[in-house]
Every structure is written in structure tokens, then in C-alpha cells.
Amino acid sequence: MRDDDDETVRTDEGPTRIGRNGVQAVERAVRLLEVLAAAGTPRTMQDLAAELGCSPSTAHRITATLAQSGLLQFNPVTRRYGLGAGITRLAKRRAAQFDLASVAQPFMNELRAATDETVSLWVRSNDAKVCVAVSEGSHEIRQYVAVGTLAPMELSPGSRVLMADETRETVRRWVRGILGEAAAVEAAAVEATVLAEVAGVRRTGVVMLSDEPGNRHHPDVATVAAPIFGDGGAIVAALVVAGPNRRFTGDRMRDSREPLKAEALAISSALGGDPGNALS
């Protein structure tokens, strides 16, 4: 039975209902951060409860959750709350993503013109990846992705690129975690392929989607990805070209590799990045 107080939000999995209490808690958490951002000094729990229009016990639950994430800091001497170091960390990441997106966009538009398919730019976010820029394909039927989309680190080419700076053992655990339910022989073959591709990202400069059981999230989408290098040669993002596999066939993916690699290196150069090993 549907709860009339539920609200519907859109996620990567489609429309999802959240209870009104959950929505209200999020709204209050955002409001609390805004209050502290506007305040000149840290505030007491009573101050925060009054600003939020809730009881001190409710305000305490919200502050405790935010403090665990480092977004709030509690001073046990003054018994006051202020913004935590986590806010600075998020602000720095947001600035870096914005700079990356603004620098990459014109090169992405060039790549879209060369391939006619959707081009997107992805960065790691812990165990997931976030889309920070998009240049939509010119076809009526095309791969659609929105800026801000949070997606799992599945075995797609983009994810493989983003895992290229991890250790071999970390990559192996990542692959096994995704293929946990696959048959042992099948999983071993996929693991070997993924390990080889991830290890070869810097040498080849590109990863293409192959027909493997690990690519289950979007079985009708064909994808090619290339690394974006930042300061010190670290891989900071994955540049991805994707389209329906009925049109973006193996031949067309292979044709897209050189323009993809060229634009990825151009973005890296514009960012002041160093590809490290030469890409062939």
C-alpha cells in the first residue's frame, strides 16, 4: 500500500519513493549546514534545534550523523557545533570537478562530432563513479546520461580506466566482488581479461567493451574509454564514448579509438597532466 506522505525521487534505478520522515531528515540536515555556514560562530544544540523547528533530541540525531561524516565538528569545551573539515574536502572536490568539466567540454564536443555518439566524463567517488560532463550524441536514439549521475563501478571500460592506478590485488578483489555469482570458469576468464586490460591502460590508452558476463548493467550499450591524466601522471578521469550496440558496432568502436585517445591526451595536456608512459 502506498503511503500518501511518501515522496518520489529519481535515482539511477528509476523513480523511488522515500518516506516523508526520511525526506524531512535530509531537508533538516541541509538546513542545519546552511545555518552554520551563515553563522559567524559555532552554535549550541539549542540554537540549532530552534533554527530547525525541532526538538533537541531530533537535532542531536542529525548533528551526530553529520559529525560522523566530518561535515560537522563538535567542541566538547564550549559544547558548540561548527562546520567540519569534510566541508572543505567536498568544496575542493567540487572545484576540481568543475575545472575538469570546463576544460574538457570543448574537446568532448569535438569527439562527439567525430563519432556522432554520446561522450561523457567520469571521476571516482569512493566505490562509485560520478559523471561530471556530457556531450550528447547527435542521433535521435542515443545513450543518455546526466551530469551528476552516480553509478556503480561495474566492469565497464570507464570503470576499468578508473581502476588502472590500483594495485593488481585491489583490482582482483574488485572483479571478484562483481562476479561473485558467476560460474567459476567463466569468472576466471573474465578476471584474467579485466586484469590484463586494466594493467594495459597506460600502454594502449583505450579500453573497449567486450561481450563478458561482467557487463550486465547496460547490455545494449557499447562503450570505449580512455584515461585523463592529471598532475604527476595520475589517472583522474575516464573519457567515454557510448552508443547503442546495434549502431556502435565493433568496427565503429575501433574507428573511434584514435580520435578518443587524441582528445583524451588533449584534455590531459590542457589540465597540465603528464601521461607518463607513451601511449601507442
Side-chain angles (χ1 to χ4, degrees), residues 205-206 208 224 252-262:
V206 66
M208 287 177 52
V224 189
R252 292 201 61 189
M253 282 194 287
R254 281 185 284 274
D255 290 342
S256 73
R257 288 184 300 186
E258 290 309 314
L260 170 61
K261 289 165 63 174

Coordinates of all heavy atoms in Angstrom, one line a residue, residues 205-206 208 224 252-262:
G205 N 46.1 3.1 -24.0 CA 45.4 4.3 -24.0 C 43.9 4.2 -24.2 O 43.2 5.2 -24.3
V206 N 43.4 3.0 -24.3 CA 42.0 2.8 -24.6 C 41.5 1.5 -24.1 O 42.3 0.5 -24.1 CB 41.7 3.0 -26.1 CG1 42.3 1.9 -26.9 CG2 40.2 3.1 -26.4
M208 N 38.0 -1.1 -24.7 CA 36.7 -1.3 -25.4 C 35.9 -2.3 -24.6 O 36.4 -3.2 -24.0 CB 37.0 -1.8 -26.8 CG 37.5 -0.8 -27.8 SD 37.9 -1.5 -29.4 CE 36.3 -2.3 -29.8
V224 N 33.6 2.7 -25.3 CA 35.0 2.8 -25.4 C 35.5 3.9 -24.4 O 34.8 4.9 -24.3 CB 35.5 3.1 -26.8 CG1 37.0 3.0 -27.0 CG2 34.8 2.3 -27.8
R252 N 32.9 0.3 -35.6 CA 32.8 1.7 -35.3 C 33.5 2.1 -34.0 O 34.1 3.2 -33.9 CB 31.3 2.1 -35.2 CG 30.6 2.1 -36.6 CD 29.4 2.9 -36.6 NE 29.7 4.3 -36.3 CZ 28.8 5.3 -36.1 NH1 27.5 4.9 -36.1 NH2 29.1 6.5 -35.8
M253 N 33.5 1.2 -33.1 CA 34.3 1.4 -31.8 C 35.8 1.5 -32.2 O 36.5 2.3 -31.6 CB 34.0 0.3 -30.8 CG 32.7 0.4 -30.1 SD 32.6 -0.7 -28.6 CE 32.4 -2.3 -29.5
R254 N 36.2 0.6 -33.0 CA 37.6 0.6 -33.4 C 38.0 1.9 -34.1 O 39.1 2.5 -33.9 CB 38.0 -0.6 -34.2 CG 38.2 -1.9 -33.4 CD 38.6 -3.1 -34.2 NE 37.5 -3.6 -35.0 CZ 36.7 -4.5 -34.5 NH1 36.8 -5.0 -33.3 NH2 35.7 -5.0 -35.3
D255 N 37.1 2.4 -34.9 CA 37.3 3.6 -35.7 C 37.4 4.8 -34.7 O 38.0 5.8 -35.0 CB 36.2 3.9 -36.7 CG 36.3 2.9 -37.9 OD1 37.3 2.3 -38.1 OD2 35.3 2.7 -38.6
S256 N 36.7 4.7 -33.6 CA 36.6 5.8 -32.6 C 37.9 5.9 -31.7 O 38.1 6.9 -31.0 CB 35.4 5.7 -31.8 OG 35.5 4.6 -30.8
R257 N 38.7 4.8 -31.7 CA 39.8 4.8 -30.7 C 40.8 5.9 -30.9 O 41.2 6.5 -29.9 CB 40.5 3.4 -30.8 CG 39.7 2.3 -30.2 CD 40.4 1.0 -30.2 NE 40.8 0.6 -31.6 CZ 41.4 -0.6 -31.9 NH1 41.7 -1.5 -30.9 NH2 41.7 -0.9 -33.1
E258 N 41.2 6.2 -32.1 CA 42.2 7.2 -32.3 C 41.7 8.6 -32.0 O 42.4 9.3 -31.3 CB 42.8 7.1 -33.7 CG 43.6 5.9 -34.0 CD 44.7 5.7 -33.0 OE1 45.4 6.7 -32.7 OE2 44.9 4.6 -32.5
P259 N 40.5 9.0 -32.5 CA 40.0 10.3 -32.0 C 39.8 10.4 -30.5 O 40.0 11.4 -29.9 CB 38.7 10.5 -32.8 CG 38.4 9.2 -33.3 CD 39.6 8.4 -33.5
L260 N 39.4 9.3 -29.9 CA 39.2 9.3 -28.4 C 40.5 9.5 -27.7 O 40.6 10.3 -26.8 CB 38.5 7.9 -28.0 CG 38.5 7.6 -26.5 CD1 37.7 8.7 -25.8 CD2 37.9 6.2 -26.3
K261 N 41.5 8.7 -28.1 CA 42.8 8.9 -27.5 C 43.4 10.3 -27.7 O 44.0 10.9 -26.8 CB 43.8 7.8 -28.1 CG 43.5 6.4 -27.6 CD 44.2 5.4 -28.5 CE 45.7 5.4 -28.4 NZ 46.3 4.3 -29.2
A262 N 43.2 10.8 -28.9 CA 43.7 12.2 -29.2 C 43.1 13.2 -28.3 O 43.8 14.1 -27.7 CB 43.5 12.5 -30.7

